[in-house]
Amino acid sequence: MNRKSPFSYTCNACGRCCHDKVITLSPYDVFRLARAAGITTREAVDRCTIRRGSILKFNDGGACAALEGPRCGVHRGRPLACRLYPLGIEHDEDERFVTLEPAAGSLGVYGIDGDVNDFVEAQGVGSYLEANARYASLIAVFRQRIAATADFDRVEPREFWRRAVREALAESVYDANPLIDAMFDAGGIGCTAIGDAETIAAHLERLAEMIRCESNAELLAAAAVMLAVSIGQVPAPAHTDAEI
Ligand code: SF4
């Protein structure tokens, strides 16, 4: 579907879609979630996420850590995936949307009373997509620094990237990575909320500085993959040599 495709959805606040999901978070998602909850990004990472800040946490019973009764406790700062639901977004050359299956027992009502654009605009999706596009600019900074630090005469590139993907996507027993920590904990590197655009600019500048100062290629690659995944890009394709 594209933005002009007929679509509408009425949420009846049953909370069913806030259970048993895997929801990837971007740095901006974590920042907005923290602001809505009135906590620091460090606290948001610890309380509401797994995999170093990159996935929303669901409790043992299957409910999202941010759910309060049937309602979202961070509604104003709910992540992009929650705003889009029950749509998903796919990025290749063009923007494409897909309809997701309703959660079991959901009271949400699908319809065609508007179009996809009406729906995503009403959900405030635009600022999230813009933020992700801004964070995507760091991929080039990573790429340059990895090219300068990785020794591809000694390490086979595909194996190098395979290891980076494994390390980035590990849910436990991973190496310390200050770049990944800094990505999801903007406050931890001094970028506290001063307004969306300013905070993102300061965060990007600080992350770029950290990337340029880092000389461990494996650490850089794992952080680059993590960033790519968190903003909905595809990580290191297996057929390329040294690309993200
Ligand atoms: S963040 Fe809010 S909307 Fe998203 S799954 Fe959790 S409770 Fe539901």
Side-chain angles (χ1 to χ4, degrees):
M1 294 195 291
N2 60 39
R3 286 194 180 240
K4 292 187 179 150
S5 304
F7 179 77
S8 60
Y9 180 73
T10 306
C11 167
N12 284 307
C14 64
R16 287 309 311 154
C17 61
C18 301
H19 289 74
D20 305 313
K21 296 280 188 305
V22 177
I23 294 181
T24 301
L25 301 174
S26 67
Y28 185 67
D29 279 327
V30 174
F31 161 64
R32 287 288 303 266
L33 194 149
R35 195 166 64 182
I39 56 179
T40 64
T41 46
R42 177 75 264 154
E43 289 168 324
V45 168
D46 292 343
R47 282 190 215 168
C48 302
T49 80
I50 59 169
R51 206 176 72 187
R52 318 192 209 211
S54 67
I55 294 189
L56 194 58
K57 185 192 281 181
F58 284 73
N59 297 326
D60 290 345
C64 171
L67 195 61
E68 294 175 359
R71 309 233 170 228
C72 176
V74 291
H75 185 73
R76 278 186 308 115
R78 66 198 185 284
L80 174 62
C82 304
R83 288 172 186 269
L84 280 169
Y85 185 87
L87 294 178
I89 194 165
E90 291 178 353
H91 298 279
D92 36 36
E93 294 200 348
D94 298 315
E95 180 188 63
R96 282 189 297 123
F97 295 89
V98 291
T99 312
L100 304 174
E101 287 292 311
S106 168
L107 299 179
V109 180
Y110 294 68
I112 50 168
D113 294 337
D115 61 24
V116 167
N117 193 57
D118 296 335
F119 178 76
V120 299
E121 288 292 318
Q123 297 299 319
V125 160
S127 59
Y128 286 74
L129 296 179
E130 281 164 27
N132 285 354
R134 292 184 68 188
Y135 280 94
S137 67
L138 284 179
I139 300 285
V141 185
F142 270 117
R143 195 177 284 146
Q144 271 181 359
R145 191 62 192 147
I146 291 164
T149 53
D151 181 357
F152 288 117
D153 291 332
R154 191 179 57 81
V155 192
E156 206 277 312
R158 267 181 277 196
E159 178 53 23
F160 174 84
W161 284 109
R162 258 195 295 273
R163 283 211 303 259
V165 171
R166 210 164 43 226
E167 173 66 11
L169 303 189
E171 291 193 12
S172 58
V173 199
Y174 38 68
D175 294 336
N177 191 316
L179 282 169
I180 294 178
D181 292 344
M183 254 179 231
F184 296 104
D185 178 16
I189 53 168
C191 304
T192 45
I194 42 182
D196 275 21
E198 294 86 348
T199 304
I200 294 171
H203 195 203
L204 287 174
E205 196 177 315
R206 186 75 189 93
L207 287 171
E209 197 181 303
M210 289 177 71
I211 294 165
R212 291 193 190 100
C213 292
E214 182 55 60
S215 53
N216 181 327
E218 281 80 16
L219 190 148
L220 284 160
V225 170
M226 178 64 97
L227 177 64
V229 170
S230 83
I231 58 175
Q233 296 199 358
V234 179
H239 62 277
T240 56
D241 281 353
E243 297 285 322
I244 297 169

